[in-house]
Amino acid sequence: MAERLRFRFTKLGKIRFTSQRDVARMWERALRRSGLEIALSQGFNPRPLLAFGLALPTGAESLAEYLDATLVGSAPVELVELADSLSSLLPEGLAVSGVGVLPDAAGSLQQEVTSCTWELEVLGVTATELARRVGRLLDAPSVSVRRERKGRIFDDDLRPSVRSLGLLDPAQGANTVRGQSTWLGAETATQPRGVRPRELVEALGTEVVLARARRTQQWIEHDGARHEPLEASARVADVTAPHAIERAS
Amino acid sequence: MATLWPSIEPLLDGVSKPARYIGGEQGATVPVHGEGKVAWLVIYPDTYEIGLPNQGLQILYELLNERPDALAERSYAPWLDMEAAMRAAGVPLFSVENHLAARDFDVFAFNLSAELVYTNVVNLIDLAGVPIHAAARTADDPLVVAGGHCTFNPEPLADFVDAFVLGDGEEVVGEMNEVVRDWLATGAGRSRPALLEAFASLEGVYVPSLYGVTYDGPRLTSVTPRTPQVPERVVKRTIADLAEWPYPKRQLVPLTEVVHDRLNVEVFRGCTRGCRFCQAGMITRPVRERPATQVRAMIRSGLERTGYDEVALTSLSTADFSSIEDTVAAVVGGGCGDQRVSVSLPSLRVDAFTVTTATQIAHARRTGLTFAPEGGTWRMRRVINKLITEEDLYGAVDAAFSNGWRRVKLYFLIGLPTERDEDVLGIAALARRCVEIGRRHHRAPTVVASVGGFVPKAHTPFQWFGQDSASELRRKINLLKDACRGARGVSLRWHDPEASVAEGLASRGDRRMGAVIERVWRAGGTFQEWSECFDLGRWEEALAAEGLSFEEIAHRERSGDEVLPWDHLSAGLHKDFLWGDWQDALAQVSVEDCRWTPCYDCGACTDAGLEHVVASTTPPAGGSQGTGQDLSAGGRVPVHLVSAPGDR
Ligand code: SF4
């Protein structure tokens, strides 16, 4: 029986500058080395059946990326071992923090993920000024951003996708080579349209500069409650990768 | 010595492809610096994605990091946007492992695989904060050395580089390391000239500042040692047995996309097909094969370690590897691990036999097959000694189309010695004929004819030849365009003739080209390999300002008694052998491959006390001459051979 596995993994440190495609190739190589047999697509040039959820912008970090893999057979019994071995085969900065066997009925990440939580380190204005601008953005009925799609430029309203936005603990800020930073927390919805961290920060004014974005959670919402994407799994192994952050940065 | 990462990181949000600058490749060494270790920065003077796969650079990187008295990190040319950001922020050239400033290293070692990167070499020395002129550097500045195929005429870079290495680097890099180590240990007051003299005493190392040059008007009249301690002639290094050097053992697996992103295993070095235009074939003689068992072991461990699902068997003409069939069969038959693996042969011989071998194992990805007949007529191919008959080519093309390939790509050169318009037009005739052959098997076959302008190179029989001007090359391309007009299925592509002419300046110029390169660089002419950056106007202005001309350096045919800028350097080939081969070319007389016919004493083996190391003494079946293309130039699309999904 072909089962599907859902992996949760981090992307931290220098590796944040690789693209989504790069990460896909790293996973393909690591899976080949692990010996876990992944089913192949049909057709002229068969590819392993791997589905990554929401794209993470190049340059952003994440504590919660997901990958669904369709296996040739059934899932291994020792999920913790599998997670650990994959972490050791993946490059520094990528580490598996959870894995679960998906029920047949589970939809794809692309369809199901409804929102995600971000931590954003910004520079350019004081914390007080930043708080004022955040308040103004939240009060505004609409916030337009300029976007390019298929070579055409038009304006989108990002306000409906901003679920929450606020300053995090000031102690988290740091004195960087470019000045004092402040951290923001945000939850953004994937519908009607996703919001890139950079767009959100730009909407706070031109002097505000995004120094680092870190996705901390992704959520699947149904029946009015938020669920972590691994919750749907029948069998889950939570592997905390305690040193992942320190190791990678 | 502190990492520059905190200053580099903020720049990366604003540049294209930031993963070029982060390192982190699997197989990379992040060395610890310290007393007693010579710190090398190995530099590829083009972008990361072109430079990372370079096998020569990876081999030296590994060899140095294996030594207790050395360490090596890598650097590549930052793209225009990143360089601008770095200069604006005061960030110098840095290594990708520890992100240290280039100046923290003792030696810069450049890999020179193509002439048009020369302005990048100057730019990178400058970006490192080091004086670009070798003469202006002090004992506190890093040493600048260079290796790679282009060092067989290093004179255009003589102003900027302290020492060049000719030939295989595996042995000499260790010897150079010892010289630098001992010199560093002498402490304060050490002198740079003493170090350079010690370098010059090593076989295969050329220190240009120790040689004086004389001219008579526009002509070079001599390049001779300034001191009796240095040899009149520097002879290249050759490793006798590839089996002793199973490197790279830990091929770098990049985090981001690069060219040739696959496992590469070198199956032999050298080529004796004798293609007269091919510098790589001439300067890497004799042929030295890697034992088939070692090839298999390297493939097996390489696939296991990297997770790649593709392996390229590299050489100048891989179909000539005496164990090619067994090796390919072992890979696709699962003898090198239990994964589904595809094989690519970056150079195919032009004959039906090769295609049939290819086809036996190729059941997928059958998109395109590439052959390099190089010349449009049999007459032309005899001149260049690429002895592919029309029957060979048509047989190969028929085999390709009948075995399911839908696209065949043919490589040609124009601007070859003795070329007439009918030879150029022969390219169109061949391409049309190949489409007709394809129609026997498919409704809409495609034949791509890719045409490059020939650039004569040092240490080849064509080193005396007067290169075609850009306008003459352009005229020939137009002839071809007309001849291919309306030919369904034929698609013509060509290389910029102006870039070929600039390459010609750098490939056969003498020391006076240094000032030209410097001017082009000062005018902003970096990344000259890239069409979006190349501008012949900059070269024209620089030449004029230096009182030099295209005519004198590139387009003029040289006479037999003229002093060539590289006469004091030897690739092992006797000059009278090359001259004789040049005369044979003009008379349309061909020579055979000396692997399977008696030696004609070119000098490569006889002078160095070497022999070909080939497992089989019989020529491969199929019999035809090979492709001999210069892989270091890159860009030639490799052929993919893939096992069937069920084949394990
Ligand atoms: S010395 Fe003789 S055998 Fe050796 S490469 Fe030259 S011609 Fe061939």
Side-chain angles (χ1 to χ4, degrees):
Chain A
M1 231 296 286
E3 287 192 300
R4 276 191 299 157
L5 284 180
R6 175 164 291 173
F7 295 95
R8 184 181 61 220
F9 63 98
T10 62
K11 186 183 185 189
L12 294 169
K14 288 175 182 164
I15 207 163
R16 71 190 176 94
F17 291 109
T18 61
S19 69
Q20 186 86 354
R21 270 167 60 91
D22 293 336
V23 170
R25 271 192 302 268
M26 293 173 214
W27 267 97
E28 285 180 23
R29 289 192 298 260
L31 285 166
R32 270 195 294 270
R33 290 169 69 201
S34 76
L36 186 69
E37 272 200 272
I38 307 296
L40 296 176
S41 64
Q42 299 293 307
F44 199 58
N45 187 9
R47 305 297 314 160
L49 287 175
L50 303 177
F52 292 84
L54 286 186
L56 183 70
T58 299
E61 291 187 313
S62 179
L63 296 170
E65 292 307 288
Y66 293 87
L67 158 66
D68 290 350
T70 307
L71 305 180
V72 170
S74 44
V77 180
E78 293 296 341
L79 290 181
V80 177
E81 250 171 48
L82 175 69
D84 286 346
S85 102
L86 278 166
S87 291
S88 69
L89 295 172
L90 286 163
E92 189 169 316
L94 297 190
V96 178
S97 64
V99 54
V101 183
L102 283 182
D104 290 349
S108 75
L109 290 160
Q110 204 83 41
Q111 293 161 348
E112 293 202 322
V113 171
T114 44
S115 69
C116 43
T117 316
W118 292 95
E119 291 178 1
L120 309 171
E121 185 180 24
V122 300
L123 300 159
V125 292
T126 61
T128 335
E129 174 60 16
L130 193 64
R132 215 172 52 77
R133 294 187 187 201
V134 166
R136 224 165 42 199
L137 184 140
L138 291 175
D139 288 343
S142 76
V143 178
S144 110
V145 286
R146 187 136 288 194
R147 279 175 169 163
E148 198 191 303
R149 262 198 297 276
K150 293 178 182 150
R152 286 187 31 232
I153 306 236
F154 46 92
D155 291 331
D156 268 339
D157 182 10
L158 61 73
R159 184 62 191 86
S161 300
V162 182
R163 292 269 179 89
S164 68
L165 183 64
L167 269 63
L168 296 177
D169 180 2
Q172 236 182 297
N175 206 344
T176 76
V177 284
R178 292 185 289 172
Q180 182 64 36
S181 72
T182 311
W183 284 83
L184 290 170
E187 186 182 341
T188 60
T190 57
Q191 298 295 338
R193 199 148 277 150
V195 182
R196 293 176 153 256
R198 184 179 298 274
E199 292 172 327
L200 185 55
V201 168
E202 275 167 9
L204 293 171
T206 43
E207 315 93 301
V208 192
V209 178
L210 178 63
R212 191 178 281 234
R214 181 180 289 165
R215 179 142 72 193
T216 52
Q217 302 257 256
Q218 296 190 34
W219 301 108
I220 294 174
E221 199 172 88
H222 47 79
D223 308 330
R226 295 191 315 184
H227 302 273
E228 198 270 336
L230 271 178
E231 274 179 40
S233 306
R235 238 165 9 100
V236 184
D238 248 308
V239 193
T240 35
H243 305 302
I245 301 180
E246 294 89 299
R247 193 173 64 117
S249 45
Chain B
M1 209 183 291
T3 175
L4 296 175
W5 180 250
S7 315
I8 296 165
E9 190 175 23
L11 308 180
L12 296 184
D13 279 320
V15 301
S16 56
K17 303 189 186 175
R20 287 164 163 169
Y21 310 107
I22 63 174
E25 303 86 354
Q26 189 201 334
T29 302
V30 182
V32 179
H33 292 240
E35 282 291 301
K37 284 181 174 224
V38 181
W40 292 67
L41 184 64
V42 287
I43 308 173
Y44 194 91
D46 207 323
T47 60
Y48 178 83
E49 54 273 30
I50 308 282
L52 180 113
N54 186 279
Q55 296 293 290
L57 190 148
Q58 290 197 22
I59 291 170
L60 298 187
Y61 175 74
E62 259 185 48
L63 288 172
L64 287 166
N65 278 319
E66 280 178 2
R67 293 180 65 99
D69 59 354
L71 63 87
E73 302 197 25
R74 289 164 295 124
S75 188
Y76 305 86
W79 187 246
L80 305 171
D81 56 355
M82 182 62 173
E83 188 198 332
M86 286 163 66
R87 287 196 188 267
V91 172
L93 184 70
F94 55 84
S95 66
V96 296
E97 285 85 355
N98 282 308
H99 290 95
L100 294 178
R103 278 208 70 108
D104 290 339
F105 291 81
D106 302 310
V107 188
F108 295 175
F110 282 97
N111 177 297
L112 303 177
S113 305
E115 290 84 355
L116 286 178
V117 303
Y118 289 177
T119 55
N120 279 14
V121 172
V122 178
N123 191 42
L124 293 175
I125 299 172
D126 180 68
L127 191 57
V130 172
I132 60 164
H133 293 114
R137 293 181 207 132
T138 69
D140 296 328
D141 289 314
L143 283 151
V144 178
V145 303
H149 286 182
C150 294
T151 62
F152 283 93
N153 177 24
E155 294 300 283
L157 285 180
D159 292 350
F160 315 110
V161 174
D162 296 304
F164 295 95
V165 174
L166 309 186
D168 298 327
E170 281 91 340
E171 289 167 349
V172 71
V173 70
E175 297 163 19
M176 293 174 84
N177 188 74
E178 281 162 23
V179 166
V180 180
R181 181 198 63 200
D182 295 347
W183 177 75
L184 287 172
T186 58
R190 60 187 167 231
S191 89
R192 203 168 170 96
L195 175 66
L196 293 179
E197 270 168 42
F199 264 169
S201 71
L202 298 175
E203 228 178 283
V205 178
Y206 168 56
V207 178
S209 59
L210 299 180
Y211 292 75
V213 181
T214 59
Y215 305 96
D216 178 11
R219 283 299 131 77
L220 176 75
T221 46
S222 72
V223 184
T224 43
R226 289 186 202 276
T227 73
Q229 281 84 24
V230 297
E232 275 178 32
R233 209 149 185 255
V234 179
V235 182
K236 75 162 180 187
R237 294 296 288 262
T238 307
I239 55 164
D241 187 359
L242 213 52
E244 284 177 22
W245 304 96
Y247 290 89
K249 289 177 178 165
R250 289 151 41 86
Q251 187 188 305
L252 296 174
V253 183
L255 299 178
T256 189
E257 206 164 4
V258 300
V259 302
H260 311 317
D261 199 359
R262 61 196 179 203
L263 181 69
N264 294 298
V265 175
E266 186 183 28
V267 296
F268 67 83
R269 202 172 287 180
C271 179
T272 43
R273 286 287 181 182
C275 303
R276 291 174 173 134
F277 56 85
C278 177
Q279 188 189 36
M282 291 288 163
I283 62 175
T284 60
R285 292 173 176 213
V287 171
R288 290 144 292 153
E289 285 199 353
R290 193 182 291 290
T293 47
Q294 189 179 62
V295 169
R296 279 206 289 277
M298 286 175 75
I299 296 172
R300 192 178 309 117
S301 64
L303 291 173
E304 252 169 42
R305 200 188 61 74
T306 61
Y308 276 127
D309 61 349
E310 181 185 350
V311 56
L313 306 176
T314 67
S315 75
L316 291 171
S317 178
T318 296
D320 289 340
F321 180 47
S322 57
S323 312
I324 185 66
E325 284 172 277
D326 295 351
T327 305
V328 170
V331 178
V332 300
C336 293
D338 57 1
Q339 298 276 351
R340 196 186 111 89
V341 175
S342 62
V343 181
S344 66
L345 308 179
S347 50
L348 266 200
R349 218 169 46 212
V350 186
D351 54 49
F353 171 81
T354 307
V355 178
T356 312
T357 319
T359 305
Q360 282 162 0
I361 49 167
H363 298 278
R365 264 200 243 176
R366 206 172 294 179
T367 47
L369 208 50
T370 304
F371 301 108
E374 311 285 2
T377 58
W378 175 239
R379 192 199 72 79
M380 193 74 259
R381 292 193 294 276
R382 284 171 64 97
V383 170
I384 63 178
N385 207 46
K386 182 97 193 197
L387 301 179
I388 297 157
T389 63
E390 292 196 10
E391 291 70 50
D392 288 334
L393 178 63
Y394 297 149
V397 168
D398 189 69
F401 282 125
S402 73
N403 281 300
W405 271 282
R406 293 175 185 274
R407 204 165 65 98
V408 165
K409 195 167 185 185
L410 304 175
Y411 277 105
F412 293 100
L413 289 169
I414 55 170
L416 290 163
T418 80
E419 185 174 76
R420 308 165 188 155
D421 285 355
E422 68 207 49
D423 298 313
V424 175
L425 292 169
I427 294 172
L430 280 187
R432 279 170 181 267
R433 182 87 184 92
C434 289
V435 172
E436 275 169 39
I437 291 170
R439 288 232 174 81
R440 292 183 204 148
H441 306 285
H442 305 292
R443 228 166 37 82
T446 314
V447 173
V448 180
S450 175
V451 178
F454 172 57
V455 181
K457 296 280 161 90
H459 304 277
T460 69
F462 290 169
Q463 64 184 355
W464 290 278
F465 173 60
Q467 183 184 358
D468 268 7
S469 66
S471 60
E472 178 63 1
L473 288 172
R474 175 105 31 222
R475 186 187 68 82
K476 288 172 177 173
I477 291 166
N478 285 334
L479 277 182
L480 271 178
K481 280 203 254 183
D482 286 343
C484 292
R485 196 156 290 146
R488 270 202 21 235
V490 177
S491 142
L492 184 71
R493 311 231 173 110
W494 58 89
H495 187 239
D496 179 6
E498 299 192 333
S500 302
V501 169
E503 185 183 331
L505 292 179
S507 78
R508 288 193 300 168
D510 58 40
R511 258 179 218 199
R512 289 171 293 187
M513 272 303 295
V516 175
I517 290 165
E518 187 177 335
R519 280 181 188 274
V520 173
W521 165 64
R522 287 198 190 279
T526 54
F527 287 104
Q528 297 296 281
E529 287 262 279
W530 297 72
S531 55
E532 63 260 52
C533 301
F534 179 78
D535 175 7
L536 191 66
R538 286 203 191 98
W539 292 87
E540 285 167 341
E541 279 166 31
L543 276 177
E546 293 300 323
L548 298 169
S549 71
F550 281 107
E551 176 57 29
E552 175 65 23
I553 301 168
H555 303 320
R556 168 180 74 83
E557 182 158 326
R558 288 150 165 82
S559 65
D561 53 8
E562 188 175 333
V563 175
L564 301 173
W566 50 90
D567 274 349
H568 58 299
L569 307 173
S570 168
L573 306 162
H574 296 149
K575 197 175 181 187
D576 54 3
F577 160 77
L578 290 174
W579 179 259
D581 206 34
W582 170 227
Q583 296 308 307
D584 282 350
L586 296 175
Q588 298 165 40
V589 175
S590 50
V591 295
E592 288 177 308
D593 192 319
C594 58
R595 256 172 297 191
W596 307 297
T597 52
C599 165
Y600 35 85
D601 193 18
C602 73
C605 308
T606 34
D607 284 9
L610 292 166
E611 268 183 62
H612 295 299
V613 181
V614 187
S616 157
T617 50
T618 44
S624 164
Q625 284 277 346
T627 58
Q629 58 227 36
D630 182 358
L631 294 177
S632 61
R636 300 222 149 160
V637 180
V639 178
H640 277 282
L641 310 174
V642 182
S643 62
D647 263 27
R648 311 253 359 195

